[in-house]
Amino acid sequence: MANTKSAEKRHRQSLKRRARNVNVRTTVKDAVKSAREAIASKDGSKTTDALKAASKTLNKAASKGVLHKRTAARRISRLAKAAAKAKA
């Protein structure tokens, strides 16, 4: 348990940050999942929209510091690669 006022404040801040990070991660997972489902369905326009939405969500998470920027880039790259493979 926190002993000082500053430690109590840091604990409150960490709880707020954790709640925000969990929310962002869930949004990222949902976007990536819908993109993968769109790729699997092989519907061209749906795939493009889902891929765009997923990459936007991943980039936003990276800019907020929830994900590392290279992690976001790698996931976007893999999604784009999978979409290109499905299209071909």
Side-chain angles (χ1 to χ4, degrees), residues 41-73:
S41 71
K42 297 185 179 179
D43 182 12
S45 61
K46 201 165 131 184
T47 301
T48 308
D49 293 339
L51 190 63
K52 202 176 284 188
S55 64
K56 183 178 178 182
T57 312
L58 282 161
N59 280 327
K60 195 173 277 192
S63 69
K64 288 181 177 184
V66 178
L67 290 177
H68 193 276
K69 64 179 184 177
R70 290 194 188 114
T71 303

Side-chain angles (χ1 to χ4, degrees), residues 36 39 51 71-84:
R36 292 215 179 272
I39 290 167
L51 190 63
T71 303
R74 184 181 66 243
R75 290 184 184 181
I76 292 167
S77 174
R78 287 178 181 170
L79 279 174
K81 192 174 175 183

